[in-house]
Amino acid sequence: MDKILRITEKSGAFRAFVADTGSLVRYAVKIHGAAPTAAAAFGRTITAAAIMGLDLKTKDESLSLQINGDGAVGGIVAVADMQGRVRGYIENPHADLPLRADNKLDVGGAVGNGHLTVVRSLGHNKPYVSRIELQTGEIAEDIAYYFSVSQQTPSVVALGVLVDVDYTVKNAGGYFIQLLPNADEQVISKLEANVYTLESVTDMLSRGLSAEQMARELLLGFDYTVLMEHIPQYCCNCSKTRMERALISLGKKELEAIIVEDGKAELNCQFCKKSYLFDKDELEKLLKEATD
Ligand SMILES: [Zn+2]
């Protein structure tokens, strides 16, 4: 079952998030029709955004991860809120590369070189934007790098998506561990040892482990508390009104051309693929609101 646990170590040495996002990623991959390599890149990004969104302070804020690499998948965007609701977009969902020599999906190759931008939108205020260079394009390492450079928080980030032979997502999830100023050398080396001996996220999920059980293995020997449980969900905020605004923003000339040439318009939401139809009468009404 999909779940993200927010965990804190009892002495305040670190905090952690452990996530099972199988259903969320399966749904996201299905609506975008993503091929295996693209699905893995997309699912990792969606999972990371769902976790990072939980740190937002108010319901009006959103956290977006934008990956812009020069690889075959093109841009990837995932937007999340503090309740674990997330939506995403992948520019080239059909991108698929041959497996790597170790039989793993070549996510780094498909993402390529470029940047990761983290945008925290605070309602009507100016968004907080932070940008780093992609380290490997494998997403998890890039996010760990973002935390260490932009947030000065040493972190361990693991993300995994297992894609089946029929292209469906078998499982997905991940974990973040973030060291707090209280962490001493002993804690750090024990965490390192745990992470080093731990199986991959997808192997643990394939064994049928729940988020709680993954946390137990990851944090073996530590005294910790699960502060909160969140159920992540794929959720879009598109509406006919938003689409109307998009059409109005095209401007008078463009709208007039659509009315004359097509007499109607169909807009598809890039996040959920829902389609919105506008007939001639509706377009003419919007034209009155448009400017040159
Ligand atoms: Zn939508």
Side-chain angles (χ1 to χ4, degrees), residues 59-76:
K59 280 184 184 168
D60 304 326
E61 294 173 47
S62 67
L63 183 288
S64 91
L65 292 182
Q66 301 167 7
I67 290 169
N68 293 100
D70 60 2
V73 296
I76 303 174

Side-chain angles (χ1 to χ4, degrees), residues 87-103:
R87 61 186 192 275
Y89 163 76
I90 179 160
E91 195 177 344
N92 198 352
H94 305 300
D96 206 15
L97 294 188
L99 290 178
R100 299 190 316 207
D102 62 0
N103 246 0

Side-chain angles (χ1 to χ4, degrees), residues 44-49 52 65 67 116 118 132-136 138-151 153 155-157 159 176 178:
R44 289 179 193 180
T45 311
I46 290 262
T47 298
M52 291 166 74
L65 292 182
I67 290 169
L116 161 69
V118 180
I132 56 124
E133 207 163 306
L134 290 171
Q135 299 300 294
T136 61
E138 292 283 331
I139 319 290
E141 285 92 339
D142 305 307
I143 287 171
Y145 183 73
Y146 157 77
F147 280 124
S148 82
V149 172
S150 294
Q151 309 282 309
T153 308
S155 306
V156 179
V157 176
L159 297 164
F176 288 19
Q178 301 190 307

Side-chain angles (χ1 to χ4, degrees), residues 22-44 46 90 93 161-163 167-169 172 234 273:
S23 303
L24 167 72
V25 171
R26 197 169 300 125
Y27 183 77
V29 163
K30 195 174 160 213
I31 56 172
H32 289 270
T37 320
F42 191 40
R44 289 179 193 180
I46 290 262
I90 179 160
V161 175
L162 185 65
V163 185
Y167 283 25
T168 58
V169 171
Y234 197 92
K273 305 291 172 189

